[in-house]
Amino acid sequence: MLRNELNHYSPGEKLPSSRALVERFGVSPVTVSRALAVLAADGLVVTRPGAGAYRAETVAREKPVVDTSWQEIALTADDQGGERVVDASGLSANLAVPPPDVIAFNGGYLHASLQPERAMATALASAARRPGAWERPPLAGVTALRAWFARELGLTPAEVLISGGGQAALSTALRAVAPPGSAVLVESPTYPGVLAAARAAGLRPVPVPVDDGGVRLDLLQEVLAATGAKVFYCQPLFQNPTGAVLAPERRRELLEIVHAAGAFLVEDDWARHLGHGGPVPAPLVADDPHGSVVHLGSLTKATSPNLRVAALAARGPVLERLRAIQVVDSFFVPRPFQEATLDLVAALSWPRHLRSLAAGLRERRDAMVGALQRELPSLAPPRVPTGGHYLWLRLPAGTDETALTSAALRAGVAVSPGRGYFAAEAPAQHLRLGFADTSGAQEITEGVRRLATACAEVNL
């Protein structure tokens, strides 16, 4: 409203006082202050301490026409004639906040009702006031936080590096262990973020199929031999998107296969705190006798999308390369965030949060499975995951994923088409449905009902 009223003032003319604006619009002084700050940032208002706010002296400037067509070539081809592909469209679609009337089955983070908001606020406030909290941290991370991650992994703090979120850690890991232009083996299907990060680094993702027990080891051996790849990326626990857990009998063999090939195994342990109840297997890095595993662990998925604190763990010279890349990219993770994270996970409320989270995810998972069995029984998954955020649905042959996704959005529910989870041609059509970014069973039931309406629209 204040922006619209600026036309009533001449350039350089003084605006009413903050007190007058508070009375006129019936808002708080803080709201008026923020509004003036926004207008000042837009160059529409000039504030003078002790004198008030004035309409800015505006000077009409003709914008030059710039021909940027040359950038299509400069940004695409490198000196060797290769191509660099930086495509965040798949990630952006899942990160976008849907309109208020759309139910988010495409989200990858916790609904506000599942986040430990009070505990996070307390930890952040406490950490910010602590003496030394604003001092520069060690490059590898605050020692006590590294020790906390190390205890969970069965390693030492010296083998852990604090990183600014799981995606940043993943990009760092790929660049550390794979030379540009080389192949990176990935599970098929897999997390779209690894495909985007690999291609942005000039790497070539090569798929290795998974089944209910995780990666197919016979096929992994074949692809390692055929490609000469030196990196295999996998999610052994609650794999995104299938929810699969690496079978116990495959764990040791997987490590031996990767070591025999002289390769690294990048273990993305994003879902360690997302079990739905029951025991959770140890990370692969804890059982690695060769130093082949580069481990990624993040707290974001179990807390808030804004708590972007993760850890990289490795043994041997690769750890120094990981540290060097992170220093070049970002120097270090801000100390106040590290201190707040440490306070959060060390608090008595942390185990209670994890128990509450497990119950909340289990309730939402069961509500989605039950709603699918009632409304869309042909799509109900044959296997229910024991952890994670998602259900992976196989669609009938010939289904147009794009048409179904668009119809679902028109019906008021956002879903993720399966195509983006494959590094090459998809063997079948799928949908990924997320249940974590929902308020509970009632919203999930309504979302599945809307999805059923969309299926009927495309004759599914």
Side-chain angles (χ1 to χ4, degrees), residues 192-342:
V194 72
L195 303 179
R199 289 166 179 151
L203 306 175
R204 179 168 52 92
V206 177
V208 183
V210 301
D211 58 22
D212 289 349
V215 63
R216 290 270 307 274
L217 297 184
D218 54 336
L219 298 179
L220 176 62
Q221 281 186 298
E222 291 181 12
V223 180
L224 279 168
T227 63
K230 297 304 178 183
V231 185
F232 171 52
Y233 166 87
C234 71
Q235 305 165 80
L237 184 63
F238 311 139
Q239 198 249 13
N240 177 11
T242 68
V245 177
L246 184 66
E249 63 273 14
R250 298 186 191 183
R251 291 172 59 91
R252 175 62 64 178
E253 187 178 357
L254 171 59
L255 293 171
E256 295 302 328
I257 288 173
V258 171
H259 177 62
F264 285 98
L265 190 157
V266 177
E267 178 186 17
D268 191 345
D269 201 20
W270 68 279
R272 176 138 304 270
H273 302 103
L274 300 178
H276 299 166
V280 174
L284 288 175
V285 71
D287 298 328
D288 172 25
H290 310 294
S292 301
V293 176
V294 175
H295 180 275
L296 285 63
S298 174
L299 292 170
T300 304
K301 296 292 188 180
T303 55
S304 163
N306 293 296
L307 190 70
R308 307 210 62 76
V309 174
L312 284 159
R315 290 175 291 177
V318 69
L319 182 63
E320 185 53 41
R321 180 175 290 186
L322 292 166
R323 190 191 333 267
I325 291 175
Q326 180 162 295
V327 169
V328 169
D329 284 349
S330 59
F331 291 172
F332 47 77
V333 177
R335 186 171 196 138
F337 292 159
Q338 295 191 55
E339 297 282 0
T341 301
L342 182 60

Side-chain angles (χ1 to χ4, degrees), residues 2 18 45 76 123 186 191 194 200 221 247 256 282 303 318 349 370-371 401 404 421:
L2 184 56
S18 294
V45 166
T76 303
V186 298
Y191 166 52
V194 72
Q221 281 186 298
E256 295 302 328
T303 55
V318 69
S349 60
E401 288 181 358
L404 177 55
Y421 296 83

Side-chain angles (χ1 to χ4, degrees), residues 28-54:
S28 71
V30 172
T31 300
V32 169
S33 177
R34 289 177 177 173
L36 291 173
V38 170
L39 294 175
D42 290 344
L44 301 176
V45 166
V46 175
T47 58
R48 299 171 187 168
Y54 299 78

